[in-house]
Amino acid sequence: GAGVSQTPSNKVTEKGKYVELRCDPISGHTALYWYRQSLGQGPEFLIYFQGTGAADDSGLPNDRFFAVRPEGSVSTLKIQRTERGDSAVYLCASSLGLAGEQFFGPGTRLTVL
Amino acid sequence: AQTVTQSQPEMSVQEAETVTLSCTYDTSESNYYLFWYKQPPSRQMILVIRQEAYKQQNATENRFSVNFQKAAKSFSLKISDSQLGDTAMYFCAFFATSGTYKYIFGTGTRLKVLA
């Protein structure tokens, strides 16, 4: 596609449930990033991939969060046992290389009731 | 660790006037980029302008320009001839070209352009 796409656009779930958020990067972009944007805040880094491997996952808040990119393209952010504090917009970005400009998707708004 | 500070949570400006948004940052890196992003209610982060730290000349993009003061670690955005479509959240971001490869964002400034 022309830009980074994310699905779903909005996700409402109940506390304790498992959710998956998907990111489709720009074709050919080798680097992929996940950020979390809480209400009234700027985006905060979670994890990035170069190819299939997670190059830096230091931003993941705890072990309930996990992300994969098995074929070096689409990535899935997985959250287990969701908590109300996980409610936020989750943004994905991709770039041609690690030092390239990052292009952002429209985000997934996650609401945990 | 790098930090980015935006000290103006909200600002407003009359249509056609000029407004300046402030951003300061802290880093020990010598090679980096600075960005201003616009985020309308659609949530889409749109790149407004970027500045390479090694360039002394301030970047400009049509009505948008920056005042980059490297020694003071300051990076302000000037919007000239403000338009209603400029209403959005604006985020300043820092990116080091070695090591971390992640954007560090400020907390944002909500800009409202008044008709």
Side-chain angles (χ1 to χ4, degrees):
Chain A
V4 178
S5 61
Q6 292 186 245
T7 54
S9 177
N10 292 282
K11 175 71 176 179
V12 180
T13 191
E14 293 179 344
K15 181 175 179 293
K17 299 290 188 183
Y18 168 83
V19 296
E20 289 189 351
L21 311 180
R22 177 188 167 106
C23 172
D24 275 273
I26 293 171
S27 178
H29 280 193
T30 58
L32 184 147
Y33 309 78
W34 284 98
Y35 295 85
R36 179 167 73 172
Q37 185 175 18
S38 301
L39 191 63
Q41 300 296 315
E44 292 180 316
F45 169 79
L46 295 176
I47 184 172
Y48 79 82
F49 294 84
Q50 174 65 356
T52 60
D56 183 349
D57 64 358
S58 62
L60 295 178
N62 51 60
D63 61 6
R64 294 187 298 105
F65 288 74
F66 189 72
V68 295
R69 195 186 185 200
E71 297 177 358
S73 178
V74 171
S75 176
T76 304
L77 178 66
K78 307 179 180 191
I79 310 174
Q80 298 177 320
R81 304 183 304 280
T82 52
E83 299 177 358
R84 292 194 180 89
D86 298 335
S87 296
V89 173
Y90 289 81
L91 294 169
C92 176
S94 71
S95 64
L96 202 53
L98 282 176
E101 177 186 336
Q102 294 183 22
F103 294 83
F104 286 83
T108 293
R109 181 181 297 281
L110 175 65
T111 303
V112 182
L113 301 177
Chain B
Q2 292 87 8
T3 59
V4 176
T5 301
Q6 293 180 250
S7 58
Q8 304 154 314
E10 293 187 1
M11 293 195 72
S12 61
V13 62
Q14 289 295 134
E15 197 175 7
E17 297 295 308
T18 295
V19 64
T20 299
L21 309 183
S22 301
C23 173
T24 58
Y25 61 96
D26 190 24
T27 185
S28 57
E29 298 281 345
S30 55
N31 298 313
Y32 52 89
Y33 289 82
L34 293 163
F35 303 88
W36 279 98
Y37 278 88
K38 170 185 177 182
Q39 188 180 43
S42 67
R43 301 197 304 252
Q44 183 74 55
M45 296 285 278
I46 301 165
L47 179 64
V48 174
I49 197 165
R50 75 176 192 178
Q51 174 81 42
E52 292 92 336
Y54 67 87
K55 289 187 176 179
Q56 292 186 337
Q57 186 173 6
N58 290 324
T60 62
E61 285 287 341
N62 301 313
R63 299 183 294 108
F64 301 88
S65 61
V66 299
N67 183 3
F68 174 48
Q69 302 290 327
K70 191 172 183 179
K73 295 189 171 70
S74 171
F75 182 62
S76 61
L77 174 70
K78 185 170 83 170
I79 306 174
S80 304
D81 185 26
S82 297
Q83 300 176 359
L84 296 177
D86 295 334
T87 294
M89 284 291 292
Y90 286 82
F91 292 97
C92 177
F94 171 96
F95 175 75
T97 55
S98 64
T100 58
Y101 298 117
K102 57 193 176 190
Y103 284 18
I104 308 297
F105 287 88
T107 52
T109 296
R110 184 177 302 279
L111 176 68
K112 187 169 185 179
V113 180
L114 307 171

